[in-house]
Amino acid sequence: MTHEELRDLLPDLLHGRLEGVRLSVLDGHLAECAECREELAALELVRNVPSFEPLIDAARIGSVIPPYASPLVTRPSPIRRPAFQLLLVAAAVVVVVGSVLLNRIAAVAPVSNAAQRPVAATPSQTNAGVPTRSVVPTRRSRIRSATESLATTPTVSRPRELQVAAGLQDLSDNGVRQLLRELDSFDGLPSSEPDPIGLSDSSSGGAR
Amino acid sequence: MDDTDLELIGRWKAGDSRAATKLVGRHSQALARFCISSGERVEVEEVVQDTFVRAFGAIDSFRGESSFRTWLFTIARRLILDRRRAEKRRRNTVEVQEGDSVSEYGALDAIVADEAAERVRLALGTLTEMQREVFTLRVQQGMAYRDIAAIVGSTEGAARVHYHNAVETIKRQLKDD
């Protein structure tokens, strides 16, 4: 062993951790090396200095340690949906609520208004292969069909696909999945003319 | 024959609260010495208690790769650093800045009757914080470099260098006195 390696063992010698060959080799080295003897003396001096640490009341500390709580018996953490999915669900709820309000307004307004309002062209009416921003066949057709049905029926009924539970918290997992599927089916384009309904600004903060 | 730390941990998990007390008794004084050497002077017992409460609260994260005492020291060191950051403007704790250590670290010298002990304290006060941590863990606690490195967040090689630099400084200081 080199001088440096033996020097490294001095603290282990202090703490009685050496035995066998290493102990005898170090003992032999100390007999010949004044530098290492001097270093050992300094280390002994440092080690023997009282550090004035307070006497710790182990029993008292032991009594404040709470009992072990096994992970198996802990209450399962609530299902945490990713933040994006929550925003998506919130946006879906806002869209659905807005559609419901739309239907109610359309039901109250005269049918001719709906006919005079520029309606987004259906795919059959557009020039083939020329997409326009106002083409919203899916949503519009649903609303139009709902409006037409309202014109003929005395009572207002919500289109089946727009029904929504009283609150988000009342939705079951299946309900949430259905909402998400409906949202996926929306093409996301705004209507050609914003409808004059009093939606709050939060309706624009949908998922991105 | 005494139970090992892992056996006591297992007994505590099984519901034996005395096992926790036994572990506290086994390691608390060493923890207290470590706190003192790290500069925590005033609320040593509080730091020791917090360390054990945190350790037992997170016992499932102790994988046994290092010794239980090493793990405790790691927790205590983080606690002390957090407390320093939080109490930065309160000067109850003794902070030793590199190159400006004697007046702060030697604050307790007035109560030290032994001249040799006083010389050692002054010598330790000239070390950097890292050197003092490594040196006291190696000499006073007798820890291996691998465990020291885990506690101070360094490598074995760096810990070895810090130790030897500290030794040279201590020897020089003790010789000059």
Side-chain angles (χ1 to χ4, degrees), chain A residues 3-200:
Chain A
H3 173 80
E4 289 305 314
E5 288 169 343
L6 288 166
R7 226 181 123 206
D8 246 353
L9 295 177
L10 293 177
D12 296 314
L13 179 68
L14 268 183
H15 288 270
R17 294 211 176 98
L18 293 181
E19 54 188 24
V21 173
R22 291 203 305 174
L23 179 59
S24 60
V25 169
L26 183 57
D27 277 343
H29 178 74
L30 283 170
E32 296 171 357
C33 181
E35 182 188 346
C36 285
R37 284 199 302 272
E38 180 189 327
E39 183 165 319
L40 183 62
L43 297 183
E44 274 176 337
L45 187 62
V46 170
R47 189 184 175 219
N48 293 333
V49 166
S51 57
F52 296 108
E53 75 269 11
L55 197 60
I56 302 296
D57 187 349
R60 188 191 64 77
I61 292 177
S63 69
V64 305
I65 292 171
Y68 175 65
S70 166
L72 294 175
V73 301
T74 54
R75 189 177 174 185
S77 55
I79 296 171
R80 301 182 63 183
R81 300 184 186 280
F84 173 73
Q85 222 172 349
L86 278 173
L87 284 173
L88 214 56
V89 169
V93 169
V94 167
V95 166
V96 164
V97 168
S99 299
V100 168
L101 287 173
L102 250 177
N103 283 332
R104 288 192 171 171
I105 289 169
V108 169
V111 176
S112 60
N113 285 348
Q116 288 171 7
R117 187 180 303 159
V119 178
T122 60
S124 60
Q125 294 174 352
T126 56
N127 294 327
V130 180
T132 63
R133 194 166 184 272
S134 61
V135 175
V136 189
T138 307
R139 184 177 171 207
R140 273 292 182 186
S141 61
R142 282 186 185 171
I143 293 174
R144 198 167 351 120
S145 64
T147 306
E148 288 166 359
S149 68
L150 287 172
T152 55
T153 57
T155 58
V156 176
S157 61
R158 293 178 183 169
R160 183 173 55 85
E161 62 268 23
L162 294 178
Q163 287 178 351
V164 69
L168 182 62
Q169 66 277 10
D170 294 327
L171 290 177
S172 64
D173 284 349
N174 283 335
V176 171
R177 277 193 280 273
Q178 185 172 352
L179 265 178
L180 290 174
R181 278 197 292 273
E182 287 186 4
L183 190 66
D184 286 342
S185 68
F186 291 156
D187 60 12
L189 294 175
S191 60
S192 57
E193 286 189 16
D195 297 301
I197 51 177
L199 288 176
S200 66

Side-chain angles (χ1 to χ4, degrees), chain A residues 4 7-12 14-15 17 35 38-39 42-47 49-71, chain B residues 12-13 20-21 24-25 28-29 32-33 36 44-45 48-49 52-53 56 59-60 112 116-117 120-121 135 138-143 145 160 163-164 167-168 170-171 174-175:
Chain A
E4 289 305 314
R7 226 181 123 206
D8 246 353
L9 295 177
L10 293 177
D12 296 314
L14 268 183
H15 288 270
R17 294 211 176 98
E35 182 188 346
E38 180 189 327
E39 183 165 319
L43 297 183
E44 274 176 337
L45 187 62
V46 170
R47 189 184 175 219
V49 166
S51 57
F52 296 108
E53 75 269 11
L55 197 60
I56 302 296
D57 187 349
R60 188 191 64 77
I61 292 177
S63 69
V64 305
I65 292 171
Y68 175 65
S70 166
Chain B
W12 174 69
K13 283 184 175 182
T21 304
V24 172
S28 57
Q29 287 306 133
R33 272 195 302 278
I36 297 260
V44 175
E45 184 155 353
V48 170
Q49 177 176 311
F52 279 110
V53 169
F56 281 99
I59 200 70
D60 289 326
V112 175
V120 167
R121 288 185 185 285
F135 181 78
R138 184 78 178 114
V139 175
Q140 291 181 343
Q141 305 285 350
M143 286 196 163
Y145 287 117
R160 206 179 293 266
Y163 168 76
H164 284 293
V167 166
E168 293 306 317
I170 294 286
K171 278 162 54 177
L174 291 178
K175 200 179 279 186

Side-chain angles (χ1 to χ4, degrees), chain B:
Chain B
M1 192 164 151
D2 283 343
D3 291 325
T4 64
D5 287 345
L6 283 177
E7 286 168 348
L8 286 172
I9 290 170
R11 278 173 40 193
W12 174 69
K13 283 184 175 182
D16 183 1
S17 59
R18 292 171 303 173
T21 304
K22 207 165 178 180
L23 279 167
V24 172
R26 186 176 285 180
H27 299 289
S28 57
Q29 287 306 133
L31 255 180
R33 272 195 302 278
F34 173 68
C35 291
I36 297 260
S37 70
S38 297
E40 180 65 54
R41 297 282 179 174
V42 177
E43 294 170 329
V44 175
E45 184 155 353
E46 183 176 326
V47 173
V48 170
Q49 177 176 311
D50 285 350
T51 299
F52 279 110
V53 169
R54 285 201 187 191
F56 281 99
I59 200 70
D60 289 326
S61 66
F62 174 60
R63 293 180 288 273
E65 293 164 356
S66 63
S67 69
F68 186 61
R69 180 171 289 190
T70 300
W71 191 58
L72 288 172
F73 278 29
T74 307
I75 295 171
R77 185 174 184 270
R78 274 196 223 118
L79 265 173
I80 291 168
L81 289 174
D82 288 344
R83 288 167 66 89
R84 268 190 209 153
R85 277 191 284 266
E87 299 174 9
K88 200 172 180 181
R89 298 194 176 177
R90 292 172 55 184
R91 304 302 288 178
N92 286 336
T93 57
V94 180
E95 286 190 18
V96 182
Q97 305 299 325
E98 184 166 353
D100 181 24
S101 56
V102 175
S103 60
E104 290 181 328
Y105 193 80
L108 291 181
D109 283 354
I111 67 171
V112 175
D114 185 28
E115 184 186 336
E118 185 176 347
R119 285 166 49 216
V120 167
R121 288 185 185 285
L122 286 173
L124 286 171
T126 64
L127 300 177
T128 66
E129 188 172 333
M130 180 63 82
Q131 286 174 347
R132 191 174 66 254
E133 272 189 320
V134 171
F135 181 78
T136 53
L137 284 171
R138 184 78 178 114
V139 175
Q140 291 181 343
Q141 305 285 350
M143 286 196 163
Y145 287 117
R146 183 191 60 187
D147 293 330
I148 293 170
I151 290 168
V152 304
S154 182
T155 62
E156 262 190 70
R160 206 179 293 266
V161 170
H162 286 309
Y163 168 76
H164 284 293
N165 288 342
V167 166
E168 293 306 317
T169 302
I170 294 286
K171 278 162 54 177
R172 198 168 49 245
Q173 292 291 326
L174 291 178
K175 200 179 279 186
D176 289 346
D177 285 346

